[in-house]
Amino acid sequence: MSGAPQRVVIIGAGQAGGQAAYSLRLGGYEGAITIVGDEPAPPYQRPPLSKAYFKGEMEAERLFLKPLDYYAEHKVELITGKPATRIDTARKQVVLADGTQLDWDKLIIATGSRPRKLPIPGADLEGVTELRTLADVDRLKRLAAPGAKMVVIGAGYIGLEAAAVGRQLGLTVTVLEAMPQVLSRVAGPEIGAFYTRVHREAGTDIRLGVKLEAFEGLGRVSGVRLAGGEVVAADFVLAGIGVLPNLELAQEAGIACANGIIVDEHMRTSHPDVFAAGDVAWRPLVHYGREGRLESVHNAIEGGKIAAAAILGAGQPPLEAPWFWSDQFDLKLQTAGLWTGADLTVVRGDANGRAFAVFYLKEGRLIAVDAVNSAPEFIVGKKLVAAQARVAPGELVDKSISMKDIGARALG
């Protein structure tokens, strides 16, 4: 490739970093590619960690995005277990923890995010853990003996997925959530009420609007003290209160950041030869006319592809509406779009059953859909959200009208 960079270095061996490398090779890039990861494993999927892997239904190797021999076969240098400690934009070098210096012509920062720490006494006690990496879940598996008391802090995707697995493994599970609704950051009240009921019916003690005071225990956690003095007994605690972007390397290098590394529509940062993708990127959300940071497989894959295309000088890949999913018990929640800002909510199907969908509209246009065990609603809804289509609420409610027909009418 004439004029192509000689070496691309990717900091971060997650979904975004791996995808960027794969897309570069797929696009015909023949220069050197180096992926730097701070974990010992090659790039792997994170979503199954809180589901099939925690439950013991999936081996670690099945999480890998590519077989190990892919990297040698495609001449992708994979450096694992050696975190990057500094980016030198003047010399175009990345410095690793062991002092290794890597030269680059183009740099992709895909450093992801890390769990937020609970700012209360006792957070450093043994048995207070997180769920972000393979090592985290291996630790959880050792703690999750049948009958053990598991307390989950935070009722987001990770917290509820882990709570569901906990019950299936025979644990006593309590979920403590500060907000008045579960999944409050990612879904509307109908979905929140549904999942609260499902988990309670499964035997999970879900407590909403809870304020924590401290973790109790001598060396090892034994309970969670709530405001008012009540102590919830715990053999171990899983803290899942959200994540923070790993943007410090970029900040120290003088690259512009907000709540993430600021990028344009090509995932290019304020430095013309540096790109960012995945959880760490603060990017244009073209379907919503604003900027933001997304934490999802879709965002990581899309960002990796876009950064690779920009380096290759190729056309930008098509942009999908943001999409997410969550598996809890026998329920698959599939989401397309971002529901905040909706002025009308429409429920299709029976929200008291095990299959229904919630559509969110703003000024007559569909901006998001949550589909529980309802694949057609998700598949068609995702296309409608991407097109910012106008949809008649009455048609969405009417189950006698198929989603295929609704989509065909709205998309012309």
Side-chain angles (χ1 to χ4, degrees):
M1 297 176 62
S2 177
Q6 296 301 302
R7 184 167 190 176
V8 176
V9 172
I10 301 167
I11 306 176
Q15 189 104 42
Q19 183 63 57
Y22 313 148
S23 294
L24 283 168
R25 283 290 184 249
L26 194 62
Y29 176 68
E30 297 176 353
I33 300 175
T34 300
I35 302 176
V36 178
D38 54 4
E39 292 184 60
Y44 64 88
Q45 308 172 65
R46 293 192 190 276
L49 292 178
S50 56
K51 313 179 202 40
Y53 187 69
F54 182 19
K55 201 174 177 182
E57 295 177 345
M58 180 180 283
E59 298 299 319
E61 290 74 17
R62 288 181 56 202
L63 297 173
F64 297 166
L65 298 177
K66 297 287 186 184
L68 272 175
D69 56 9
Y70 168 91
Y71 301 95
E73 289 176 1
H74 292 79
K75 298 181 180 178
V76 175
E77 182 184 17
L78 181 60
I79 300 175
T80 58
K82 292 183 182 180
T85 56
R86 186 162 62 88
I87 297 169
D88 187 331
T89 54
R91 295 184 178 181
K92 287 195 167 182
Q93 288 183 332
V94 171
V95 181
L96 307 188
D98 65 354
T100 300
Q101 297 178 344
L102 302 175
D103 297 322
W104 50 267
D105 296 303
K106 302 290 183 182
L107 178 68
I108 300 174
I109 305 173
T111 44
S113 56
R114 63 187 182 275
R116 290 179 181 272
K117 301 291 185 181
L118 283 158
I120 62 174
D124 57 349
L125 286 170
E126 187 178 348
V128 178
T129 187
E130 302 161 343
L131 199 165
R132 183 67 181 169
T133 67
L134 273 167
D136 290 338
V137 185
D138 289 340
R139 189 180 310 115
L140 274 173
K141 287 180 174 181
R142 293 192 292 270
L143 295 168
K149 298 180 180 67
M150 172 186 181
V151 175
V152 178
I153 312 297
Y157 285 145
I158 296 294
L160 291 187
E161 287 168 0
V165 172
R167 288 299 298 139
Q168 291 168 319
L169 293 176
L171 308 184
T172 298
V173 181
T174 302
V175 176
L176 305 176
E177 168 58 49
M179 300 299 288
Q181 175 199 315
V182 306
L183 300 174
S184 60
R185 196 166 66 90
V186 297
E190 294 82 4
I191 294 293
F194 171 76
Y195 276 96
T196 298
R197 175 173 62 80
V198 165
H199 280 268
R200 284 175 173 163
E201 288 175 352
T204 298
D205 181 6
I206 290 192
R207 305 192 189 188
L208 304 173
V210 172
K211 183 178 180 182
L212 310 183
E213 286 194 346
F215 294 117
E216 297 199 340
L218 297 174
R220 183 176 189 83
V221 71
S222 61
V224 183
R225 188 169 77 243
L226 311 181
E230 180 187 358
V231 176
V232 179
D235 292 312
F236 68 99
V237 173
L238 171 61
I241 58 167
V243 298
L244 295 170
N246 293 322
L247 48 71
E248 289 77 10
L249 282 174
Q251 283 182 320
E252 292 164 5
I255 294 167
C257 296
N259 179 26
I261 302 172
I262 299 172
V263 298
D264 64 13
E265 67 272 21
H266 301 293
M267 311 308 289
R268 184 178 275 107
T269 71
S270 57
H271 188 291
D273 295 320
V274 180
F275 301 77
D279 284 12
V280 77
W282 179 268
R283 60 176 292 194
L285 304 177
V286 298
H287 299 93
Y288 298 91
R290 59 184 176 87
E291 298 178 336
R293 200 170 56 77
L294 298 174
E295 300 155 14
S296 69
V297 169
H298 159 251
N299 179 60
I301 293 172
E302 186 172 81
K305 289 180 177 179
I306 293 171
I311 290 171
L312 291 166
Q316 189 181 57
L319 299 180
E320 294 184 311
W323 53 262
F324 317 82
W325 84 93
S326 177
D327 293 323
Q328 299 171 42
F329 302 111
D330 62 333
L331 303 166
K332 179 175 286 292
L333 170 62
Q334 294 173 286
T335 296
L338 306 173
W339 78 281
T340 51
D343 54 32
L344 180 63
T345 299
V346 177
V347 178
R348 179 179 172 89
D350 182 6
N352 293 315
R354 308 288 281 192
F356 68 100
V358 181
F359 293 89
Y360 305 92
L361 294 95
K362 181 178 181 180
E363 298 174 356
R365 298 186 182 276
L366 190 65
I367 62 170
V369 56
D370 286 320
V372 178
N373 287 352
S374 300
E377 280 71 13
F378 170 71
I379 293 168
V380 176
K382 186 167 71 166
K383 295 176 182 176
L384 295 173
V385 170
Q388 301 177 359
R390 289 190 176 276
V391 187
E395 290 192 358
L396 292 173
V397 172
D398 190 348
K399 289 280 286 183
S400 70
I401 306 174
S402 73
M403 285 305 301
K404 183 178 179 180
D405 288 343
I406 291 173
R409 292 177 194 176
L411 298 172

